[in-house]
Amino acid sequence: MKPDNLICYHCGDICPDDTIKIDNKLFCCNGCKTVHILLSDNDLTKIYEEARIGSDSKSKFDKDEFSFLDDNSIVEKLLKYNIENRSKVIFYLPQIYCSACLYLIENIHLLESGVLESKVNFLRKEVSITFDNHKTSLRKIVELLTLLGYRPTLNLSDIEQPRKIAHNRALYIKLGIAGFAFGNIMLMAIPEYLSGGNIQSDIRTYMGYISILLSIPVMYAASDYFKGAWHGLKMKTVNIDVPLSLGILVLFLRSVYDILFTADSGFIDSLTGLVFFLLLGKLFQQKTYHNLSFNRDFKSYFPLSVIKSDNGNDKPIPVNQIVPGDLLSIRHDELIPADSILESESALIDYSFVTGESSPITAMKNDKIYAGGKHKGSVIKIRVMKKFSSSYLTELWNSKLFEKQKESTISNLSNTAAKYFTAIVLVIAIATAIYWIPKDMTIAMNAITAVLIIACPCAIALSIPFSYGTTMRLLGKRKMFLKTDKIVEYMTSADVIVFDKTGTLTELNKSEITFNGSPLDNDKQIAIKSIVKNSTHPLSNMIYNHLNCETVIVDDYDEVSGKGLMAFVGTNSILLGSKSWLLENNIKIDAESGDISGEFNAESRVYVAFNGIYSGFFAINSSYRHGLKSLFDELLKKHEIYILSGDNDSERNHLQTLTSDKAKMQFNMLPADKLEYISKLQQSGKKVIMIGDGLNDAGALNQSDVGIAIAEQHSNFTPGSDAILIADEFPKLTKLLTLAKNGVTTVKLSYFLSFVYHSIGFFFAVQGLLSPLIAAILMPISSISVIALTVGSAYLKDFRLSRKI
Amino acid sequence: MSVVIILMSASLFVAIIFLISFLWAVKNEQFDDTFTPALRILNDDNKNNVKLKDGVDE
């Protein structure tokens, strides 16, 4: 067998040799073999027809890794419910991606007999598992899932604030009831309209009573609008729900009166149709992106447990139970859970998460390291100084500054419209009353109620859900996901756009390092790597990570801050640093290649000299996203642009060129500085869009009017925000803003349209001539034309934008 | 009494049955996840597949 045919039957990885096998099936490791035997013993091998099970590195875990799940206080918080011997838990399994995953996970009761039921929600990538807690334990289930390649994500936020699942059940029920009543009442009303009112009186009476009966549950279906109106009035504001509720109530009462005491047939058909359309709008508005989370805070980033070393015994403990003095082991890529002192010799800590500073920082023994930093490299030991809840990061997050005071999610546009509209309606109603009451009381009552019925602003209430809802869907197609549809409006009203630099304008982990000059042989590479190892300067760290070789001991190491390094490796003297540092040390620098672009380039340079002879320089480029220049050009037409960065200002010049020198820039900003900067902008009357990525931007994203988080992939962990934008689409931001703008314009247009309908309606109403037939024609036509206008306009704009490249 | 009234009552009765079954389906969580069942049906039932079904709600 050729070596490249040695593919693991279980996970699809390449096997080191062909020693582990069963029946001609090869396995890369004993772990895969064990899982395979487990699966084949239980008739679950069908999984292999569709997929190879996740890579083995993910499915491996330390014997004690999940032992914190034996702790009842944690288990209690993770469980959804726990009645007698039956428990239920919901896990988020990001690895679910095909129907084979579903098959395997829904059959885990065959592998673990205590599991009673496991049910996957594919879109949410969640599994809910019901199990018998006498026969099995949460830990066993988590270990089994991990073994199968589906490691549940267990974060601190899972126990502090359990995931909430919002269902549309209530809305479906209301919609069903309203639709049912609407359809049946229409069916009974049509014969009357067609016969021109000449209908047998017993049939009419019967139909009238049935209509009243059917419309009672519709009043329940409309209850949200009554509640909304009541809340609004209590807060002393007039929102769109006020005229709506007034209209619905008057419609209902007038119709009941008409049917019971007069020969008229009432407006019940219009009433039910109105409620049905309104609820339809509500459903349309509720597009939720299940697998995205907009409400994350720092707790979602912290693991549930850390490894505590207790007299040489490593034991996982829950992260919120660590106390000062604990000795913790932190592995590669794990977060530092609390402010601590480093006990190991040295460590490389990446604080990009907390501060936005893109380069990892080297900490030496006894240095203080802060919560939120991510450790890179082999296992380190740290001694906890502060409790988890009082670390720098936690305190920062809990500070007053981070508490958002965004007024509400209610659209400003609809509120303004509602205020004017209600005022106009009241004036017309009062004028009608003054005119008619002295003349004829019956006509007066007739006319006043008719005005209030026609005043029911269904077209206005529908235009926002349908316009913003459609825009939100179209934005979703273009990979921008909004938290609620109201964000469309906030996006449009912004006049300032604030960018974070690291990770937003630049691509993370993608600094390009090239060496210009005479090529470095292996010895020189080793020498350079050994020297930069001693330096904490970000550029040194980048070069250290760039060079792929071992290191040796250096002598007479000297670092002059802001200039460069000097050291001996063996007998060779080496200088590393800025151009002036080399010139100061009397080294002649020959004409370098690529030096022409000089100052205006984004690259930082580190010059190298061996034994007094210049040998070249390292060029270090932050890699900026493509298309930024044209994006800025477009944006600058209508917006002010600010760039806030946690980094130093080494790239100021390049950013100035990118933004045609029109952007205001601030460097060395801490998360709290960014937040404060944005709130200052807001105090000066600006509406701010903040675009950022890391946890360090979370406060600013929260404070801004619209916080847009940039994510490299769908599944990326993004901080809480109002919108999530996939990084590839970032250069097309102007198109997205245009689409949103179109949504708002359409709403205004449909307000005008419904104004026309209302004028026609008022014309009949003030004369007391509003017949059920006119109402039954006018109301659906206005609703449907508004829906057609809003949805059509959004799609048309989207189509035009896709053609314009 | 006109025959129309009887016919209308009958049609309303049928419609109410459909309304009730719709409400039952919503309460029975059938509208909570409209995507996964489409995938689930692709998987054959296992011969020793024992399902738990005694009304455990959230």
Side-chain angles (χ1 to χ4, degrees):
Chain A
M1 217 185 272
K2 279 190 223 157
D4 49 311
N5 282 345
L6 297 178
I7 285 169
C8 178
Y9 186 79
H10 178 71
C11 71
D13 274 6
I14 294 166
C15 307
D17 50 48
D18 57 358
T19 47
I20 307 169
K21 60 178 170 183
I22 322 167
D23 317 332
N24 288 332
K25 290 169 189 161
L26 274 170
F27 297 97
C28 64
C29 60
N30 279 314
C32 286
K33 187 176 139 192
T34 317
V35 181
H36 174 76
I37 294 169
L38 194 63
L39 293 179
S40 54
D41 284 355
N42 289 287
D43 241 353
L44 289 173
T45 46
K46 181 179 174 289
I47 179 95
Y48 294 119
E49 291 165 22
E50 296 197 45
R52 289 286 174 264
I53 292 168
S55 154
D56 60 335
S57 57
K58 280 181 209 153
S59 61
K60 278 186 189 135
F61 57 91
D62 293 342
K63 185 163 58 74
D64 285 331
E65 191 179 337
F66 295 112
S67 62
F68 64 94
L69 289 174
D70 289 336
D71 184 332
N72 264 334
S73 63
I74 291 189
V75 172
E76 274 303 313
K77 283 176 183 161
L78 282 171
L79 293 176
K80 286 285 150 205
Y81 70 70
N82 193 7
I83 305 162
E84 289 171 31
N85 58 350
R86 186 166 285 173
S87 306
K88 180 170 168 176
V89 67
I90 293 180
F91 289 127
Y92 175 60
L93 307 177
Q95 296 88 354
I96 295 180
Y97 74 106
C98 67
S99 67
C101 303
L102 185 93
Y103 172 75
L104 187 62
I105 296 168
E106 295 208 332
N107 279 310
I108 59 163
H109 59 93
L110 300 175
L111 307 178
E112 182 66 56
S113 60
V115 174
L116 300 168
E117 187 188 34
S118 58
K119 207 170 175 188
V120 171
N121 184 316
F122 196 82
L123 290 184
R124 289 181 202 274
K125 297 190 187 295
E126 274 176 357
V127 60
S128 85
I129 295 176
T130 315
F131 62 96
D132 185 334
N133 52 28
H134 291 316
K135 286 193 191 147
T136 185
S137 70
L138 194 65
R139 182 180 169 185
K140 278 189 189 159
I141 292 171
V142 170
E143 286 179 349
L144 176 64
L145 285 171
T146 309
L147 192 68
L148 292 173
Y150 305 96
R151 178 188 284 269
T153 1
L154 295 168
N155 294 320
L156 189 59
S157 60
D158 289 333
I159 56 169
E160 304 249 322
Q161 63 237 122
R163 293 166 76 86
K164 281 203 187 86
I165 302 170
H167 285 301
N168 274 343
R169 270 181 233 159
L171 183 59
Y172 283 129
I173 286 176
K174 286 172 182 166
L175 196 61
I177 290 171
F180 163 80
F182 174 51
N184 283 287
I185 291 172
M186 262 302 176
L187 209 62
M188 289 188 285
I190 283 174
E192 188 173 348
Y193 295 145
L194 293 183
S195 66
N198 294 325
I199 200 162
Q200 259 174 279
S201 69
D202 59 335
I203 295 180
R204 178 197 294 230
T205 319
Y206 171 80
M207 292 196 303
Y209 291 161
I210 294 285
S211 301
I212 293 177
L213 277 182
L214 289 180
S215 68
I216 291 168
V218 175
M219 299 310 278
Y220 155 75
S223 56
D224 283 350
Y225 295 98
F226 301 141
K227 277 182 209 153
W230 180 242
H231 277 298
L233 290 176
K234 264 209 302 205
M235 308 284 282
K236 296 202 172 73
T237 55
V238 178
N239 54 29
I240 192 79
D241 288 340
V242 174
L244 268 180
S245 307
L246 196 66
I248 292 171
L249 274 179
V250 174
L251 260 174
F252 180 69
L253 296 175
R254 160 96 190 256
S255 305
V256 171
Y257 175 82
D258 278 357
I259 292 168
L260 294 182
F261 303 111
T262 72
D264 286 330
S265 49
F267 302 87
I268 298 255
D269 49 347
S270 300
L271 166 72
T272 50
L274 174 72
V275 174
F276 178 67
F277 281 123
L278 285 173
L279 291 173
L280 212 57
K282 224 175 210 176
L283 183 73
F284 199 78
Q285 204 172 7
Q286 286 185 346
K287 167 84 188 164
T288 41
Y289 297 102
H290 293 304
N291 50 356
L292 297 176
S293 172
F294 293 97
N295 295 322
R296 282 202 185 100
D297 66 12
F298 71 100
K299 283 178 188 148
S300 319
Y301 294 81
F302 278 89
L304 257 179
S305 73
V306 281
I307 309 230
K308 179 182 167 184
S309 303
D310 213 358
N311 300 327
N313 285 334
D314 280 1
K315 180 175 142 238
I317 60 161
V319 80
N320 48 7
Q321 282 175 20
I322 51 179
V323 286
D326 280 356
L327 189 65
L328 306 177
S329 298
I330 306 291
R331 286 171 293 192
H332 178 61
D333 259 359
E334 279 186 348
L335 282 186
I336 311 289
D339 296 355
S340 315
I341 297 277
L342 185 65
E343 293 266 318
S344 305
E345 281 309 314
S346 76
L348 200 61
I349 314 283
D350 174 6
Y351 284 113
S352 61
F353 213 42
V354 189
T355 60
E357 167 73 50
S358 52
S359 323
I361 287 165
T362 314
M364 304 306 285
K365 188 168 182 172
N366 290 333
D367 278 358
K368 204 174 166 188
I369 50 179
Y370 297 97
K374 196 179 237 181
H375 166 57
K376 305 271 179 194
S378 53
V379 182
I380 52 165
K381 296 256 189 247
I382 57 170
R383 178 80 64 190
V384 177
M385 282 167 51
K386 281 183 183 168
K387 274 167 72 178
F388 171 72
S389 57
S390 56
S391 68
Y392 167 70
L393 180 71
T394 323
E395 281 187 342
L396 177 73
W397 193 279
N398 292 337
S399 76
K400 283 260 154 53
L401 284 171
F402 276 63
E403 280 167 29
K404 185 176 205 164
Q405 294 126 14
K406 224 178 238 184
E407 318 121 51
S408 62
T409 50
I410 294 168
S411 152
N412 294 324
L413 207 56
S414 82
N415 270 358
T416 320
K419 263 178 214 145
Y420 285 110
F421 191 81
T422 316
I424 293 172
V425 167
L426 288 179
V427 168
I428 295 179
I430 291 166
T432 317
I434 292 171
Y435 181 81
W436 282 113
I437 287 176
K439 292 184 178 158
D440 188 328
M441 198 60 197
T442 325
I443 298 180
M445 285 318 288
N446 215 334
I448 294 166
T449 47
V451 166
L452 293 176
I453 288 169
I454 277 300
C456 190
C458 46
I460 291 180
L462 282 175
S463 60
I464 283 189
F466 278 96
S467 179
Y468 293 178
T470 318
T471 307
M472 185 181 175
R473 266 154 236 258
L474 291 172
L475 287 174
K477 248 169 59 185
R478 291 171 177 270
K479 309 249 171 68
M480 181 181 207
F481 308 100
L482 305 189
K483 186 173 162 187
T484 67
D485 61 337
K486 305 292 183 297
I487 305 295
V488 170
E489 194 176 304
Y490 293 137
M491 266 169 71
T492 317
S493 58
D495 43 15
V496 170
I497 303 181
V498 179
F499 292 92
D500 164 56
K501 186 177 76 78
T502 314
T504 306
L505 298 180
T506 63
E507 283 177 77
L508 269 189
N509 311 324
K510 264 197 189 168
S511 302
E512 285 169 27
I513 302 181
T514 46
F515 185 76
N516 296 355
S518 48
L520 297 169
D521 59 36
N522 198 34
D523 284 348
K524 284 182 176 175
Q525 289 196 15
I526 291 174
I528 292 172
K529 183 157 180 166
S530 312
I531 294 169
V532 293
K533 189 186 172 193
N534 296 288
S535 163
T536 54
H537 195 276
L539 294 175
S540 305
N541 279 322
M542 284 185 198
I543 295 175
Y544 179 83
N545 291 333
H546 170 66
L547 294 172
N548 203 359
C549 55
E550 67 267 42
T551 56
V552 290
I553 294 163
V554 299
D555 303 311
D556 295 337
Y557 172 80
D558 189 24
E559 179 169 356
V560 180
S561 161
K563 290 191 169 166
L565 316 170
M566 181 193 279
F568 281 91
V569 175
T571 54
N572 296 324
S573 85
I574 295 155
L575 281 166
L576 275 168
S578 66
K579 200 171 182 173
S580 61
W581 171 246
L582 266 70
L583 292 173
E584 270 176 41
N585 286 285
N586 299 321
I587 287 160
K588 204 173 135 251
I589 293 176
D590 339 325
E592 333 153 15
S593 54
D595 201 23
I596 314 130
S597 51
E599 288 298 301
F600 290 102
N601 208 303
E603 68 184 30
S604 316
R605 290 179 179 185
V606 176
Y607 293 80
V608 186
F610 279 91
N611 294 326
I613 299 162
Y614 170 72
S615 55
F617 64 87
F618 285 99
I620 298 158
N621 283 298
S622 275
S623 140
Y624 280 86
R625 294 188 193 283
H626 294 293
L628 279 184
K629 174 92 176 121
S630 55
L631 172 69
F632 281 134
D633 284 348
E634 283 289 315
L635 288 177
L636 277 165
K637 285 178 195 161
K638 282 173 193 158
H639 301 88
E640 285 177 62
I641 289 183
Y642 291 79
I643 295 171
L644 306 182
S645 175
D647 269 350
N648 59 33
D649 64 353
S650 63
E651 283 169 17
R652 182 188 285 270
N653 288 331
H654 182 65
L655 287 169
Q656 273 171 346
T657 347
L658 270 181
T659 56
S660 319
D661 222 352
K662 283 176 191 145
K664 298 184 185 68
M665 286 175 238
Q666 296 286 329
F667 294 92
N668 299 316
M669 290 205 112
L670 293 173
D673 297 339
K674 290 187 183 176
L675 191 153
E676 214 164 316
Y677 197 83
I678 285 181
S679 71
K680 268 196 195 127
L681 283 174
Q682 286 172 325
Q683 277 159 21
S684 65
K686 311 269 193 209
K687 297 271 179 221
V688 182
I689 295 181
M690 167 80 202
I691 305 179
D693 73 315
L695 189 62
N696 64 310
D697 298 321
L701 289 172
N702 208 19
Q703 173 68 36
S704 59
D705 296 278
V706 180
I708 303 177
I710 299 284
E712 296 290 341
Q713 301 149 29
H714 278 275
S715 54
N716 247 32
F717 239 25
T718 47
S721 51
D722 300 307
I724 294 173
L725 175 63
I726 301 299
D728 301 343
E729 303 296 310
F730 179 60
K732 295 179 192 150
L733 188 66
T734 32
K735 278 192 181 179
L736 303 175
L737 289 174
T738 317
L739 200 57
K741 178 114 195 151
N742 178 64
V744 177
T745 318
T746 314
V747 169
K748 288 178 183 160
L749 202 65
S750 61
Y751 279 1
F752 176 74
L753 188 69
S754 57
F755 173 74
V756 173
Y757 288 119
H758 282 296
S759 306
I760 300 172
F762 283 135
F763 173 74
F764 290 105
V766 291
Q767 303 176 65
L769 291 176
L770 183 75
S771 71
L773 184 60
I774 293 173
I777 292 170
L778 215 52
M779 284 193 168
I781 283 185
S782 67
S783 302
I784 289 165
S785 61
V786 161
I787 293 172
L789 174 74
T790 50
V791 175
S793 150
Y795 272 96
L796 189 69
K797 190 77 191 174
D798 183 61
F799 176 69
R800 284 206 186 140
L801 282 176
S802 343
R803 289 210 311 181
K804 200 173 71 187
I805 298 158
Chain B
M1 204 208 256
S2 166
V3 70
V4 176
I5 290 178
I6 298 169
L7 285 175
M8 280 199 310
S9 309
S11 82
L12 201 59
F13 178 71
V14 175
I16 285 172
I17 291 175
F18 278 103
L19 177 68
I20 289 170
S21 51
F22 172 73
L23 297 184
W24 168 81
V26 173
K27 292 228 158 141
N28 197 29
E29 302 174 16
Q30 292 186 22
F31 284 81
D32 289 1
D33 180 5
T34 48
F35 187 82
T36 319
L39 291 174
R40 195 172 287 138
I41 202 164
L42 298 173
N43 298 323
D44 300 325
D45 274 348
N46 229 296
K47 52 191 172 195
N48 46 355
N49 196 343
V50 196
K51 286 247 162 171
L52 165 111
K53 262 289 160 227
D54 42 5
V56 188
D57 289 323
E58 287 166 41

